[in-house]
Amino acid sequence: GAGSGGYGAQQGYSEERSSARRVADHYSARSNQTLEERENSPIIHLKKLNNWIKSVLIQLYARPGDCVLDLACGKGGDLIKWDKARVGYYVGVDIAEGSIKDCMTRYNGDTDQQRRKKFSFPARLICTDCYEARLDEYLYEDAPFDICSCQFALHYSWSTEARARQALANVSALLRPGGIFIGTMPDANVIIKRLRESEGLEFGNSVYWISFGEEYAEKKFPASRPFGIKYKFHLEDAVDCPEWVVPFHLFKLLAEEYDLELVLMKNFHEFVHEYLQKPEFTELMRRLGALGDGRQDQGTLSQDEWEVSYLYLAFVLRKRGQPPTQ
Ligand code: SAM
């Protein structure tokens, strides 16, 4: 736990709380964009690509009627994807009050932008820190879930061992045996590789930069201290906050302690190359427009956006045990 290995000092703890707060405040302050603002974003094609990847994961693993737990659900950008998968129930949890409000608005479909019919599933939204709280205490009436999703957010749990463990303990406690945990997060291998290739402690391109503090001047990351490896991440028109490195092999081992076994892990580039070959997902990509008309390898996604997508990976874990028979 947080008390072992010298990470649990009181000072470190409160610093920790304020880091989580900074992340929350950052996301809370970003309110819904208009459609026009969105289309003019310098990373519009990257956003579309990310949506395609999340849609593919959801289509591959969600089944009609599923009970869904969306950790760090944000503004509910995935609600439509879950609706298309015809899930039966949705619980979204996020630390940012502003995002939960936007998510509620989107679910209720009462903004000009969303002239769509209501979602076909009931939903519950909760504002709390998913990596601090024991979610089973909030959700004992809703559990067990068939599928849990944590998109672009699990790395915020790796600030301390206690938080990384609470995140996995929550997923494990709430999934049914055989239940699926899907997610996306930064690919630490790529980030550390880029850092080592760069001259200083910063690297990036026209749409992003990552900056490590002087404490990492040697660019060494001993496996004995895998939590709390912080960097600053800036993505044009999207993110500007502290993040933490998640060494994937250690994440896999930690997940196993919570009965979550690795099913799949792919860097986004590999993910795109593999699933874009499947006709149903090619068609989805064409509709989303991330890669333009699909005749070129990268289409309308800029080289710099394509480089950002290389910083991420998708994972699928499965909760040990046999699914209950009906
Ligand atoms: N999952 C959404 C998506 O894919 O559109 C949002 C992703 S956004 C990059 C990261 C989200 O993680 C933000 O909404 C932020 O508020 C949330 N988050 C960060 N730390 C969190 C925590 N400790 N507990 C719950 N949510 C958290």
Side-chain angles (χ1 to χ4, degrees), residues 98-252:
S99 301
I100 286 290
K101 274 193 193 139
D102 285 351
C103 188
M104 193 89 76
T105 305
R106 183 167 284 171
Y107 177 77
N108 289 326
D110 58 12
T111 62
D112 290 346
Q113 258 183 60
Q114 284 115 31
R115 291 173 306 261
R116 65 187 313 286
K117 66 168 173 46
K118 285 260 172 73
F119 291 95
S120 55
F121 51 82
R124 188 177 165 197
L125 298 174
I126 296 170
C127 187
T128 193
D129 185 335
C130 311
Y131 313 138
E132 179 83 35
R134 276 198 57 171
L135 288 184
D136 53 341
E137 286 174 1
Y138 287 80
L139 295 172
Y140 60 93
E141 284 181 315
D142 308 86
F145 291 86
D146 302 294
I147 184 163
C148 173
S149 170
C150 185
Q151 304 298 336
F152 299 102
L154 200 56
H155 50 300
Y156 295 120
S157 75
W158 272 60
S159 53
T160 66
E161 180 172 356
R163 289 169 69 77
R165 284 185 178 276
Q166 190 58 56
L168 291 167
N170 280 336
V171 174
S172 185
L174 292 165
L175 274 181
R176 65 163 166 77
I180 290 289
F181 179 29
I182 57 175
T184 47
M185 67 179 165
D187 186 335
N189 277 332
V190 175
I191 290 175
I192 302 300
K193 184 165 159 260
R194 287 275 179 272
L195 173 67
R196 292 190 173 139
E197 285 165 358
S198 72
E199 274 186 13
L201 289 166
E202 261 186 54
F203 54 94
N205 62 30
S206 69
V207 289
Y208 88 99
W209 54 258
I210 284 177
S211 162
F212 282 82
E214 281 302 325
E215 64 273 32
Y216 299 111
E218 288 186 28
K219 304 187 181 182
K220 284 193 184 135
F221 303 92
S224 57
R225 301 182 59 218
F227 304 95
I229 305 172
K230 184 155 92 177
Y231 57 87
K232 272 209 74 180
F233 181 56
H234 174 89
L235 179 61
E236 223 34 54
D237 194 38
V239 186
D240 195 29
C241 66
E243 300 200 344
W244 289 269
V245 169
V246 184
F248 196 84
H249 61 293
L250 297 175
F251 170 71
K252 174 180 177 281

Side-chain angles (χ1 to χ4, degrees), residues 12 17 20 30-31 34 44 47-48 78 81 100 107 128 148 157-158 173 198 201 207 233 241 263 267 271 285 316:
R17 285 298 280 265
R30 289 191 56 81
S31 62
T34 65
I44 178 63
K47 288 182 178 173
K48 289 175 175 176
D78 294 344
K81 303 176 186 71
I100 286 290
Y107 177 77
T128 193
C148 173
S157 75
W158 272 60
S198 72
L201 289 166
V207 289
F233 181 56
C241 66
V263 173
N267 178 277
F271 191 99
M285 183 74 95
V316 179

Side-chain angles (χ1 to χ4, degrees), residues 207-325:
V207 289
Y208 88 99
W209 54 258
I210 284 177
S211 162
F212 282 82
E214 281 302 325
E215 64 273 32
Y216 299 111
E218 288 186 28
K219 304 187 181 182
K220 284 193 184 135
F221 303 92
S224 57
R225 301 182 59 218
F227 304 95
I229 305 172
K230 184 155 92 177
Y231 57 87
K232 272 209 74 180
F233 181 56
H234 174 89
L235 179 61
E236 223 34 54
D237 194 38
V239 186
D240 195 29
C241 66
E243 300 200 344
W244 289 269
V245 169
V246 184
F248 196 84
H249 61 293
L250 297 175
F251 170 71
K252 174 180 177 281
L253 288 177
L254 198 65
E256 278 168 9
E257 288 188 35
Y258 294 89
D259 287 335
L260 298 165
E261 291 176 323
L262 186 65
V263 173
L264 172 153
M265 187 281 271
K266 280 180 203 300
N267 178 277
F268 273 15
H269 278 194
E270 190 192 348
F271 191 99
V272 171
H273 284 130
E274 181 164 336
Y275 291 102
L276 201 50
Q277 305 201 11
K278 312 220 183 274
E280 67 271 35
F281 299 138
T282 317
E283 170 58 20
L284 178 65
M285 183 74 95
R286 199 191 54 72
R287 272 187 278 133
L288 287 175
L291 299 186
D293 61 10
R295 272 177 298 187
Q296 286 172 318
D297 192 33
Q298 290 157 37
T300 47
L301 192 83
S302 72
Q303 184 61 35
D304 282 359
E305 287 174 285
W306 182 238
E307 261 177 40
V308 175
S309 77
Y310 189 48
L311 301 173
Y312 290 89
L313 59 78
F315 65 84
V316 179
L317 304 174
R318 186 178 173 280
K319 172 81 184 284
R320 228 171 260 146
Q322 288 302 314
T325 45

